[in-house]
C-alpha cells in the first residue's frame, strides 16, 4: 500500500476533517499514516487542502505534491490540482457547482487517470445538511478505492466528532450514503 | 504496523503533551505560525492542570516570564518559530548565565527575516553555536516524528534540571503541523516532584540566595565561566544521542536530522533495493554533536552525504568529524523547500559511481 491522497476545496468545506477521517481509518487499519494541512497563508477565501499518506512502510516526507488520489470539492482546486494526479491515479470531483464542459476542459490531455464525479454538495443538501458533503465524498471515495472497511470509516468519524454528539448521526449517514451510491 | 492505543496527533500537540507529562506547569508564549497549535494546546492543558498559561505581549516578555518562574522553581517552557526565537536569544543567554533550567522549542520556518511559514532547518547555527551572547551551550535535541516530539520534550525537562541549563527542542514546520500516530501517555512527573534546593522562594529561616549573571569583580566572571565550561564538558560526555540505520556495510552514509532524516532514510531504502550500500547517520543531539560516533563509521573510503533544509550548516560539524573533506558531499534546499527523494537518489548514484 502506498496511497498519497490530496483533499482540496474552500476553507469551511471540511477539507481538513476529510483528511483526518481517512487518516484515522488508516491508523486503525494498521497502516503507517501522516496527515498534513496546507499552510495557513492561503486559507482565507482561497483553497485549502490536506494531505494524507497511507503506506505499508514508514513514511518519509508527509507532503503530497503528486497525489495517487485527488479529491477536489470546488473549481479552483480542480484547476490547481488536476494536472498533478499521478498516472493510474484517481481524480474525484464534486460537480455541484462545476459544469461538465469545465470539467472536460480541466482534464483534457490527462491520460491514464480515472476521473469520477458526482454532485456531492447537492446530495448532502438532499440529506438535510450541506456541511456533510465532505463525508458523502469520503464514503464514495472509499467505494472506488476500497482502502478501508466502512466500519473503520464510521468509527473514525464518530471518534473525531466525539465531543459533538449531535453531529455524529448525520455524518455517519452521509458516509454510508456515499459508500452505497452509484459512482 | 502500528499498535493499539496510539493516537493521531500533530507534532506541536505531542510536544505540548510531553511538557505537561514532564511536569511543566508554567508556559508563556506569543503566537507565530507554524507553531500555533502548540501555544493553543498549552492554553487548554494548563487550564486543565491548574498551571499558568500566559500569552505574552512579545517574545522577549515570554522568555523573561519563564526566567522568573524558573527562578521560583517551576518547570517552564516557551515555544516559538524562527523569527520569534531570534527575539528570545537575550533571555536564553541570561538563563544560561544564571544557570536556570528551561525548555525552549523552535518549530523552524523559512528565513532570514520574516521569511515564510514553510518548514526549514536554517536555525542550526543559531541553536548549536550560541545564538545569544557569551560562552554558553545548551543541549539541542532534534526529533523526527510525532513520537519523538513527545518523548524528547518529556526528557528535556530532566536534562534542564540536571544541569541547570536551558535545553532546546529543534524541530520544523512539517513535524510541527503534521499528524502521526504516537503514544502520549507516560507518568506525570508533576506528581511528587521535590522542590529544587537552589530556588528563590523567600528566605525566612534560611540564608538569602542570590542568582545573577552580573559579575564585576576582577576575575570573578572568568571563574564563573570556568564552572560553566565544566558543566558543558560533562554534557559533551554524557548527552550525545544519535541513531544509525544500515550503516555497517554502507559505502555511502547520509547524515541528516529531523524531516530531512525521514527523507534520507526513505532514499536509503530505495538505494538498497537497487543493491547500493547506503545508510543513514541521524544526529539526535545536535549539540553535543556526535563527532566521534560519526568518525568511527569512516572506513577510509566511505562517502558522506549531508542533507539539510538549509544552505549547509550541520555540514560544518560533519566536516569536523570527517577530516577528508573530499568525501563529504552536501544537498540542501532553502527558504521552505523540502528535499526531493529523486534529487537525493540521483546525487547518491553519482557519488557512488
Amino acid at each position: 500500500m502506498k496511497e498519497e491522497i490530496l483533499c482540496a476545496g474552500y476553507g469551511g468545506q471540511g477539507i481538513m476533517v476529510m483528511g483526518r477521517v481517512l487518516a484515522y481509518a488508516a491508523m486503525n487499519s494498521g497502516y503507517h499514516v501522516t496527515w498534513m494541512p496546507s499552510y495557513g497563508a492561503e486559507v482565507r477565501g482561497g483553497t485549502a487542502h490536506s494531505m494524507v499518506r497511507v503506506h505499508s512502510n514508514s513514511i518519509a516526507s508527509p507532503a503530497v505534491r503528486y497525489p495517487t488520489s485527488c479529491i477536489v470539492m470546488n473549481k479552483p482546486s480542480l484547476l490547481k490540482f488536476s494536472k498533478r494526479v499521478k498516472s493510474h491515479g484517481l481524480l474525484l470531483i464534486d460537480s455541484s457547482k462545476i459544469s461538465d464542459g469545465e470539467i472536460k476542459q480541466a482534464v483534457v490531455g490527462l491520460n491514464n487517470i480515472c476521473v469520477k464525479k458526482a454532485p456531492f454538495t447537492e446530495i448532502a443538501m438532499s440529506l438535510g445538511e450541506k456541511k456533510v458533503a465532505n463525508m458523502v465524498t469520503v464514503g464514495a471515495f472509499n467505494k472506488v478505492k476500497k482502502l478501508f472497511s466502512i466500519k473503520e470509516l464510521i468509527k473514525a468519524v464518530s471518534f473525531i466528532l466525539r465531543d459533538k454528539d449531535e453531529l455524529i448521526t448525520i455524518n455517519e449517514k452521509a458516509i454510508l450514503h456515499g459508500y452505497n451510491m452509484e459512482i | 504496523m502500528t499498535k493499539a492505543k496510539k493516537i493521531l496527533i500533530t507534532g506541536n500537540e505531542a510536544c505540548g503533551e510531553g511538557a505537561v507529562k514532564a511536569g511543566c506547569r508554567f508556559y508563556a508564549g506569543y503566537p507565530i505560525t507554524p507553531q500555533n497549535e502548540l501555544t493553543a494546546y498549552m492554553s487548554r492543558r494548563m487550564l486543565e492542570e491548574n498551571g499558568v498559561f500566559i500569552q505574552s505581549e512579545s517574545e522577549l516578555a515570554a522568555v523573561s516570564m519563564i526566567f522568573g518562574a524558573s527562578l521560583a522553581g517551576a518547570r517552564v517552557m516557551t515555544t516559538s518559530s524562527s523569527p520569534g526565537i531570534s527575539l528570545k536569544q537575550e533571555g536564553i543567554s541570561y538563563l544560561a548565565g544564571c544557570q536556570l533550567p528551561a525548555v525552549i522549542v523552535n518549530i523552524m520556518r523559512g528565513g532570514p527575516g520574516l521569511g515564510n511559514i514553510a518548514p526549514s532547518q536554517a536555525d542550526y547555527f543559531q541553536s548549536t553555536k550560541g545564538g545569544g551572547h557569551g560562552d554558553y551551550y545548551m543541549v539541542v535535541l532534534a526529533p523526527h516524528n510525532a513520537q519523538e516530539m513527545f518523548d524528547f520534550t518529556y526528557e528535556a525537562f530532566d536534562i534542564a534540571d540536571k544541569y541547570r541549563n536551558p535545553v532546546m527542542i529543534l524541530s520544523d514546520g512539517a513535524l510541527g503541523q503534521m499528524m502521526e500516530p504516537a503514544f502520549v501517555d507516560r507518568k506525570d512527573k508533576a506528581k511528587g516532584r521535590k522542590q529544587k534546593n537552589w530556588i528563590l522562594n523567600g528566605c525566612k529561616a534560611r540564608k538569602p540566595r542570590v542568582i545573577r549573571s552580573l559579575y564585576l569583580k576582577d576575575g570573578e566572571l572568568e571563574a564563573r565561566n570556568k564552572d560553566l565550561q565544566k558543566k558543558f564538558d560533562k554534557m559533551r560526555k554524557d548527552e550525545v544521542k544519535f541513531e544509525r540505520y544500515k550503516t555497517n556495510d554502507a559505502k555511502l552514509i547520509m547524515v541528516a536530522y529531523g524531516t530531512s532524516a525521514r527523507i534520507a532514510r526513505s532514499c536509503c531504502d530505495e538505494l538498497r533495493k537497487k543493491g547500493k550500500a547506503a545508510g543513514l547517520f541521524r544526529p539526535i543531539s545536535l549539540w553535543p554533536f556526535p563527532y566521534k560516533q560519526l568518525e568511527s563509521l569512516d572506513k577510509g573510503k566511505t562517502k558522506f552525504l549531508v542533507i539539510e533544509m538549509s544552505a549547509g550548516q550541520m555540514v560544518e560539524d560533519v566536516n569536523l568529524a570527517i577530516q577528508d573533506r573530499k568525501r563529504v558531499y552536501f544537498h540542501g534546499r532553502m527558504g521552505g523547500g523540502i528535499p526531493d527523494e529523486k534529487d537525493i537518489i540521483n546525487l547518491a548514484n553519482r557519488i557512488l559511481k
Side-chain angles (χ1 to χ4, degrees):
Chain A
M1 166 84 89
K2 195 174 177 185
E3 193 66 37
E4 295 145 291
I5 308 163
L6 194 151
C7 312
Y10 289 121
Q13 276 185 308
I15 301 300
M16 300 298 147
V17 177
M18 207 171 184
R20 281 178 63 197
V21 168
L22 292 168
Y24 260 104
M27 178 177 75
N28 292 331
S29 304
Y31 295 110
H32 289 266
V33 61
T34 59
W35 170 96
M36 190 151 119
S38 58
Y39 287 101
E42 61 192 22
V43 168
R44 192 171 296 172
T47 58
H49 63 275
S50 64
M51 298 163 271
V52 180
R53 279 179 179 265
V54 184
H55 294 198
S56 298
N57 300 314
S58 64
I59 299 168
S61 166
V64 176
R65 183 153 179 87
Y66 302 102
T68 54
S69 290
C70 185
I71 303 172
V72 292
M73 301 294 286
N74 65 5
K75 194 175 150 192
S77 301
L78 173 68
L79 299 177
K80 189 172 175 183
F81 295 115
S82 57
K83 302 276 187 289
R84 291 201 205 159
V85 183
K86 272 188 182 159
S87 180
H88 305 293
L90 166 71
L91 177 64
L92 182 61
I93 306 164
D94 179 354
S95 55
S96 301
K97 290 240 171 90
I98 317 175
S99 72
D100 285 356
E102 285 169 332
I103 291 174
K104 259 184 197 159
Q105 211 177 353
V107 302
V108 69
L110 298 181
N111 294 318
N112 279 329
I113 74 160
C114 168
V115 181
K116 298 262 183 192
K117 62 183 166 94
F120 295 115
T121 302
E122 283 167 23
I123 294 167
M125 284 162 84
S126 75
L127 295 174
E129 179 53 84
K130 187 180 169 186
K131 282 181 185 165
V132 298
N134 59 346
M135 291 301 112
V136 181
T137 315
V138 163
F141 170 73
N142 200 52
K143 181 175 188 181
V144 178
K145 295 292 294 191
K146 298 184 179 56
L147 296 179
F148 321 112
S149 72
I150 185 71
K151 210 176 118 195
E152 285 298 350
L153 280 182
I154 299 275
K155 245 170 70 183
V157 78
S158 35
F159 181 77
I160 287 166
L161 297 172
R162 64 196 180 281
D163 295 330
K164 295 167 186 167
D165 268 348
E166 70 282 6
L167 298 178
I168 291 177
T169 314
I170 180 74
N171 276 278
E172 285 180 1
K173 192 174 153 194
I175 284 193
L176 276 171
H177 190 92
Y179 191 70
N180 292 322
M181 66 187 267
E182 287 297 321
I183 185 153
Chain B
M1 293 301 239
T2 53
K3 289 175 193 153
K5 277 192 188 173
K6 277 190 176 182
I7 61 161
L8 208 54
I9 189 166
T10 65
N12 281 330
E13 290 168 327
C15 174
E17 189 58 26
V20 173
K21 289 280 167 28
C24 172
R25 292 295 182 271
F26 188 100
Y27 174 95
Y30 185 84
I32 181 169
T33 308
Q35 67 85 57
N36 283 322
E37 296 83 6
L38 180 39
T39 307
Y41 188 79
M42 292 308 275
S43 71
R44 178 161 68 76
R45 293 292 279 123
M46 285 298 102
L47 189 67
E48 287 168 1
E49 301 291 341
N50 285 322
V52 178
F53 170 87
I54 301 175
Q55 181 175 319
S56 57
E57 69 271 34
S58 73
E59 282 84 353
L60 183 56
V63 74
S64 303
M65 286 169 188
I66 66 159
F67 179 99
S70 182
L71 272 177
R75 284 199 146 177
V76 299
M77 179 167 87
T78 188
T79 67
S80 193
S81 178
S82 307
I85 293 291
S86 291
L87 293 166
K88 288 180 189 189
Q89 292 303 327
E90 177 186 331
I92 296 172
S93 170
Y94 276 62
L95 284 163
C98 292
Q99 302 205 64
L100 293 174
V103 174
I104 296 135
V105 181
N106 183 0
I107 307 294
M108 289 183 279
R109 64 186 238 184
L114 268 184
N116 62 16
I117 56 174
S120 164
Q121 294 181 321
D123 303 349
Y124 180 91
F125 283 152
Q126 184 196 53
S127 317
T128 61
K129 312 286 178 196
H133 60 282
D135 268 322
Y136 80 92
Y137 289 100
M138 58 185 162
V139 172
V140 179
L141 300 175
H144 83 319
N145 57 25
Q147 187 63 57
E148 288 187 351
M149 291 288 280
F150 175 85
D151 290 341
F152 292 179
T153 311
Y154 186 74
E155 287 155 22
F157 286 85
D158 289 341
I159 299 170
D161 274 346
K162 181 176 169 191
Y163 295 101
R164 286 182 58 185
N165 200 60
V167 172
M168 177 168 274
I169 303 291
L170 192 65
S171 184
D172 64 66
L175 290 168
Q177 297 211 316
M178 72 191 254
M179 272 186 158
E180 244 182 352
F183 295 103
V184 294
D185 197 13
R186 281 173 75 170
K187 185 179 155 250
D188 188 345
K189 290 186 187 167
K191 285 167 193 142
R193 193 168 65 82
K194 279 189 196 143
Q195 196 179 73
K196 299 167 188 176
N197 61 8
W198 49 264
I199 59 172
L200 307 188
N201 59 342
C203 60
K204 205 174 171 185
R206 66 162 169 81
K207 267 170 70 180
R209 295 170 184 150
V210 178
I211 293 179
R212 61 190 165 117
S213 62
L214 180 68
Y215 294 93
L216 294 173
K217 277 186 207 152
D218 195 25
E220 202 182 21
L221 183 59
E222 186 164 32
R224 172 72 163 189
N225 266 284
K226 281 180 180 164
D227 288 344
L228 289 177
Q229 290 303 320
K230 272 184 209 156
K231 209 167 71 169
F232 299 140
D233 282 342
K234 191 161 167 37
M235 293 182 203
R236 282 191 184 97
K237 206 170 127 272
D238 294 344
E239 301 302 331
V240 172
K241 290 191 183 78
F242 60 94
E243 186 184 74
R244 294 177 352 181
Y245 181 68
K246 297 183 180 172
T247 53
N248 280 346
D249 64 335
K251 292 195 168 72
L252 173 76
I253 296 178
M254 298 190 197
V255 188
Y257 68 97
T259 293
S260 298
R262 297 170 68 106
I263 297 163
R265 189 185 161 108
S266 168
C267 293
C268 289
D269 289 341
E270 289 301 314
L271 286 159
R272 288 268 171 186
K273 275 184 204 161
K274 299 269 158 64
K276 304 284 173 70
L280 168 67
F281 184 83
R282 177 167 75 96
I284 290 173
S285 59
L286 301 181
W287 195 94
F289 189 83
Y291 294 108
K292 281 181 198 157
Q293 292 77 3
L294 180 57
E295 191 186 5
S296 73
L297 300 180
D298 186 6
K299 300 204 177 92
K301 282 181 182 170
T302 317
K303 309 279 175 68
F304 293 86
L305 171 56
V306 184
I307 297 151
E308 295 180 70
M309 298 189 311
S310 78
Q313 301 193 7
M314 183 176 70
V315 66
E316 294 193 3
D317 281 326
V318 176
N319 275 329
L320 288 174
I322 310 299
Q323 303 278 328
D324 181 7
R325 290 196 186 179
K326 283 178 203 146
R327 289 186 282 115
V328 177
Y329 300 81
F330 175 74
H331 176 76
R333 293 285 307 274
M334 292 172 284
I338 294 179
D340 191 88
E341 286 182 39
K342 273 182 204 150
D343 294 341
I344 296 169
I345 290 168
N346 287 342
L347 178 57
N349 279 324
R350 282 205 301 278
I351 294 168
L352 282 168
K353 232 172 216 171

